Amino acid sequence: MNIHEYQAKALLRSYGAPVSDGRIVLSANAAKAAASEMDGPLWVVKAQIHAGGRGKGSFIEADAGAAGGVRLARSVDEAEKEAKAMLGRTLVTKQTGPAGKLVNRIYIEDGSGIEKEFYLAILVDRQTSRISFVASTEGGMDIEEVAEATPEKILSFSVDPATGYQGFHGRRIAFSLGLKGAQIKQCVKLMGQLYKAFVEKDMEMLEINPLIITDGGDLKVLDAKIGFDGNAVYRHADIAELRDTTEEDARELEASKYDLNYIALDGEIGCMVNGAGLAMATMDIIKLYGAEPANFLDVGGGATKEKVTEAFKIITSDPQVKGILVNIFGGIMRCDVIADGVVSAVKEVGLSVPLVVRLEGTNVDEGKRIITESGLNVIAADNLRDGAEKIVAAVKAL
Ligand code: GDP
Ligand code: MN
């Protein structure tokens, strides 16, 4: 689960991390009022969307102006003007995809003078099963590009969970960033605060790009991006409250209401499968036959007819879907439950694309009978290969 920059900064502030004063606003009037509460002479007007690269992004609407989603203002009136230009407009960045994201919230921040910009991240390293720090002198840049072109400029190490964060971890980062004097102490303290927040709040990723040295010579968190482990959010009511569902994929949101493991993808073939492994294999074989899956969906073992019906509705609501492949190997999941769900969903929402159904395993005969007797226009398949071949052929023939 991701949160907005202003929420991430508030959280880090509660751990003692140095962040600028800021206010979240929903209107240009409120932006002016918020800016008036800060001294200036510099304000930063920041679009709040769940995507990075805002500074270098651009708006679809011409009246939003040529600047990106992070703008500097030299007066309260200018802050109001920039907020007005961005609110209700669509910001496209490297991370939003071409459709962009609607800007509903603006963060007004007390501007900082910048001496230097660094990159810092904490993440879960799956290779070592440990928490890792990543630091680089190349702040404000695309870290993937830095890793590609100048990997020697990135410091990365993991923390032994038996000891947790120690002062030497922070000093290692401080020296690699070339910090001096009091900055080294600030760095050791800040890294400890960030590490503590990361562990206590079950984060998956914490990225500060840039971490800066201000013109006053102090370390400061200038941007913050946090992703939480979705499976642990139930342990943190305060974090769950930060969820902004308007930033999420509508179909994934709907699926989460029914506890379905659904992930939207870019292809044209909708998939309904039981078991994550079989779902992965189904996506692979669709690609093998020359098409792309429109989603990952594991309906799970104990799904009811109602759940299957909802899953099928979610798949058909995707306008990109040109065909559907139902691939069920009935074990705990029974083929007749799947068949019932598919038939009831089609009765409710209709079916305008080809549907290939492959059923095998528990109650397969009953499942096939339900489908046949429903009079649905279904293409039957005998196995995984046959099913993939048939749905790809049906979609290509359209
Ligand atoms: P991102 O583009 O979405 O990563 O948004 P950031 O919060 O990282 O802002 C983009 C860039 O705007 C930063 O790398 C800075 O160069 C600049 N910026 C952000 N806040 C300030 C500020 O307080 N003062 C100054 N001078 N520049 C800022
Ligand atoms: Mn940034």
Side-chain angles (χ1 to χ4, degrees):
M1 186 193 110
N2 298 323
I3 59 172
H4 289 290
E5 174 201 3
Y6 77 93
Q7 297 167 325
K9 283 181 169 170
L11 179 63
L12 297 180
R13 184 187 287 120
S14 75
Y15 278 85
V19 295
S20 299
D21 185 19
R23 312 259 190 288
I24 189 73
V25 299
L26 305 174
S27 71
N29 277 342
K32 183 171 185 169
S36 316
E37 290 171 23
M38 296 167 213
D39 293 339
L42 185 68
W43 290 261
V44 194
V45 184
K46 309 183 85 171
Q48 299 296 293
I49 55 170
H50 283 191
R54 294 163 301 170
K56 294 196 179 101
S58 55
F59 284 86
I60 288 179
E61 298 86 357
D63 62 354
V70 176
R71 303 179 180 192
L72 299 179
R74 305 273 165 195
S75 68
V76 168
D77 287 330
E78 214 181 315
E80 180 191 19
K81 191 190 91 199
E82 298 297 6
K84 191 172 179 185
M86 288 195 262
L87 276 166
R89 309 295 194 298
T90 312
L91 179 58
V92 180
T93 81
K94 249 182 156 176
Q95 295 181 12
T96 61
K101 290 227 179 209
L102 189 65
V103 177
N104 295 315
R105 311 180 191 195
I106 297 277
Y107 192 48
I108 305 288
E109 199 176 68
D110 195 5
S112 305
I114 302 177
E115 193 72 41
K116 272 185 191 153
E117 298 190 61
F118 305 122
Y119 176 92
L120 182 90
I122 306 180
L123 43 88
V124 178
D125 180 351
R126 287 167 204 281
Q127 217 126 48
T128 58
S129 308
R130 289 177 174 191
I131 292 172
S132 283
F133 278 92
V134 179
S136 173
T137 49
E138 305 306 289
M141 306 258 303
D142 195 337
I143 196 68
E144 282 83 7
E145 279 171 26
V146 179
E148 182 94 10
T150 48
E152 71 280 2
K153 289 188 174 166
I154 298 179
L155 167 75
S156 173
F157 61 86
S158 63
V159 175
D160 189 328
T163 64
Y165 175 82
Q166 302 286 316
F168 73 86
H169 292 123
R171 282 191 290 278
R172 206 169 151 190
I173 293 171
F175 295 139
S176 84
L177 298 180
L179 303 186
K180 300 272 181 301
Q183 294 163 358
I184 298 171
K185 250 189 168 159
Q186 290 177 7
C187 179
V188 171
K189 190 169 160 201
L190 173 59
M191 296 307 137
Q193 291 161 337
L194 299 179
Y195 183 86
K196 186 163 190 272
F198 191 95
V199 174
E200 283 184 0
K201 298 298 179 186
D202 287 311
M203 294 179 194
E204 230 167 37
M205 201 263 320
L206 165 59
E207 188 183 58
I208 302 193
N209 187 20
L211 171 71
I212 62 159
I213 297 181
T214 64
D215 49 5
D218 297 315
L219 270 189
K220 191 184 252 184
V221 171
L222 208 67
D223 188 13
K225 210 171 156 192
I226 297 179
F228 297 93
D229 177 352
N231 291 318
V233 171
Y234 78 95
R235 304 204 291 194
H236 308 283
D238 56 334
I239 302 299
E241 256 177 39
L242 302 179
R243 188 167 174 190
D244 179 0
T245 52
T246 65
E247 291 284 332
E248 295 175 26
D249 180 274
R251 272 176 281 277
E252 286 184 11
L253 189 63
E254 188 66 14
S256 71
K257 284 186 201 154
Y258 296 93
D259 208 17
L260 290 160
N261 294 312
Y262 172 94
I263 294 161
L265 300 168
D266 297 332
E268 66 274 30
I269 297 185
C271 308
M272 181 149 97
V273 191
N274 69 315
L278 188 58
M280 298 295 276
T282 304
M283 293 177 359
D284 279 348
I285 203 163
I286 286 171
K287 279 176 169 285
L288 184 68
Y289 281 102
E292 295 287 329
N295 66 278
F296 167 94
L297 171 63
D298 166 17
V299 291
T304 58
K305 175 187 155 189
E306 286 68 35
K307 211 164 140 175
V308 173
T309 308
E310 287 310 321
F312 201 82
K313 284 204 270 191
I314 289 167
I315 293 174
T316 52
S317 72
D318 180 352
Q320 294 208 72
V321 167
K322 302 283 181 290
I324 298 169
L325 173 58
V326 174
N327 181 24
I328 301 297
F329 190 87
I332 300 169
M333 187 75 226
R334 293 169 8 221
C335 292
D336 57 313
V337 173
I338 292 285
D340 265 338
V342 169
V343 170
S344 112
V346 171
K347 275 192 184 138
E348 231 179 281
V349 296
L351 182 66
S352 53
V353 296
L355 168 65
V356 171
V357 177
R358 177 259 176 156
L359 296 174
E360 195 53 81
T362 309
N363 291 6
V364 61
D365 294 335
E366 179 66 5
K368 284 185 174 164
R369 189 186 61 76
I370 291 167
I371 299 250
T372 316
E373 288 180 1
S374 72
L376 284 190
N377 185 15
V378 170
I379 306 167
D382 296 326
N383 56 48
L384 178 51
R385 178 186 299 268
D386 188 40
E389 225 173 341
K390 279 177 171 158
I391 190 61
V392 173
V395 166
K396 299 254 143 123
L398 289 177

